[in-house]
Amino acid sequence: MTTDTETDVFEEHRPVLMGVAYRILGRVADAEDVVQEAWLRWSGADREAVREPRAYLVRVTTRLAIDRLRQVKARNEAYVGPWLPEPYLTDFGDDVPDTAERAVLADSVSLAVLVVLESLSPLERAVFVLREAFGHPYADIAAMLDRGEAAVRQLAGRARKHVDERRPRYEVDPARRRELTEQFLAAAGGGDLEGLMALLAPDVRLVGDSGGKSRAPLRVLETSDKVGRFLIGAAQKGVPDVSFEFMELNGGIAVVVLSAGKPDSVFQVDIYEGRIQAVYIMRNPDKLLSLVAP
């Protein structure tokens, strides 16, 4: 039988476990399932054999997430259109007071990074997350994964090189990102193509994820002309009883488009040198469920 103290210990570490699981999986529902399974393992564990609860729980969660990711990758082969991770509400609160640490955690859940992580193997992704986002020593990661330390270092190096080569360069200044997001929303919503084009980089990319369940581009759009005209056209079609809410998702400001108070889509932009370099649109209703208030 699980005691109140054991429950309190698990709840203390739940945010970290959710953070690990989401970064490995990029899916809120799957991450929540993994954390729930970790709870079941914890409730049945031999307490005398668990010297460090946090290390034990991170190890269990990581292994469960790797197994789940292998299953998910097989499902994704039939996914319709571009894939984006589920929107993830990020509020690091007072638990992460250091600005540099906050920046690392925010970057590790950014859409740009998570999209790149999709191309890693499950083991590479887990090692990258544990090392780069949470700063675990190589020896600890090796113990978690039942691998030699040399092998883990090799996995980490390969993953780091892959991410560095493919991750676009973006600015993360929150104030500037908020400002450009507001200007972007005003220009698109007001049908101001000229104003919108002034915000977009010439080689801007638009990635829309609908999973084939709502209207969104079934391929990545490129160039400011194509992206601008698409956004103006989409805004003109409108959303019934529309309203907007700004939220911090995946480490940055995002616009949640509501229809009659329910999430219809999520817009987020990445910027570099004062221009919008990427536009992400989430319209898969299944991936918006985590934004619905219980």
Side-chain angles (χ1 to χ4, degrees), residues 6 55 61 66 91 102 167 170 226 244 255 257 284 291:
E6 291 162 352
T61 299
I66 290 172
D91 180 7
R102 281 173 176 267
R167 174 170 53 186
Y170 296 133
K226 290 181 180 178
F244 304 95
V255 179
V257 181
N284 184 336
L291 303 179

Side-chain angles (χ1 to χ4, degrees), residues 8-53:
D8 291 342
V9 169
F10 186 88
E11 291 303 318
E12 176 188 350
H13 297 301
R14 181 184 288 273
V16 171
L17 304 183
M18 187 64 189
V20 169
Y22 175 78
R23 286 167 174 83
I24 293 176
L25 289 161
R27 299 154 183 83
V28 174
D30 285 332
E32 289 173 342
D33 288 346
V34 161
V35 172
Q36 180 60 28
E37 179 63 26
W39 158 250
L40 294 176
R41 301 287 180 91
W42 169 250
S43 63
D46 179 1
R47 292 292 174 274
E48 294 183 0
V50 179
R51 291 180 297 177
E52 298 181 15

